[in-house]
Amino acid sequence: GGTAMAAVRDVEIDPDGTFKYILVRLQCPGGEEQRDIVRGTKAAEFHNHIFEKVNPEMEKLGYECKCLGGGKIDHNSKDKKIRVFGLSTGYGKADHSVTVEILKKVYTDYEITWSDDKK
């Protein structure tokens, strides 16, 4: 079980722009192991579009997925800045502070901030 979960990337987000994102918890059925991943893309008009794509991918690997909430990400690759804000109407607000910690693992040289602002 451990190896497959390690193969799942912590973060998959668009390289630039402002877009919706969700925080997803992966869990091995019947196991203690769990981890949270961040997924976001401009292609998603609604937060559930992201989940509907991630969920089957993770189920194939043998994980149960739960959406912990959503928001928006403003990704400025030129200035190496990411801002996390907003919320998902359907899933509620993700814990942006958790999202930021996950993003920092991947975007190590970025300035990453979050707020509860809607815009």
Side-chain angles (χ1 to χ4, degrees):
T3 47
M5 194 175 274
V8 176
R9 286 193 296 191
D10 289 312
V11 178
E12 283 181 20
I13 58 172
D14 285 4
D16 226 29
T18 303
F19 44 84
K20 293 183 166 67
Y21 94 89
I22 57 172
L23 186 61
V24 178
R25 174 155 293 167
L26 303 184
Q27 196 146 11
C28 291
E32 289 301 297
E33 192 187 9
Q34 60 178 42
R35 75 179 254 230
D36 298 342
I37 59 171
V38 174
R39 295 290 183 267
T41 176
K42 274 188 275 228
E45 196 184 340
F46 300 105
H47 286 90
N48 62 303
H49 291 172
I50 308 172
F51 189 71
E52 281 161 14
K53 188 176 171 293
V54 174
N55 196 36
E57 287 174 11
M58 296 306 150
E59 280 184 343
K60 265 189 222 134
L61 296 172
Y63 301 116
E64 290 171 350
C65 285
K66 184 171 148 213
C67 184
L68 301 179
K72 284 189 172 171
I73 285 176
D74 183 16
H75 188 173
N76 182 335
S77 55
K78 189 167 62 79
D79 297 341
K80 296 199 168 179
K81 284 185 179 171
I82 294 177
R83 189 168 68 96
V84 185
F85 64 101
L87 53 82
S88 159
T89 318
Y91 295 122
K93 186 176 81 70
D95 185 338
H96 296 326
S97 63
V98 171
T99 302
V100 165
E101 288 313 308
I102 298 169
L103 289 168
K104 280 179 178 170
K105 288 198 272 187
V106 178
Y107 295 94
T108 48
D109 56 346
Y110 268 60
E111 181 192 321
I112 305 176
T113 56
W114 69 272
S115 76
D116 286 330
D117 298 346
K118 297 280 191 290
K119 290 190 172 24

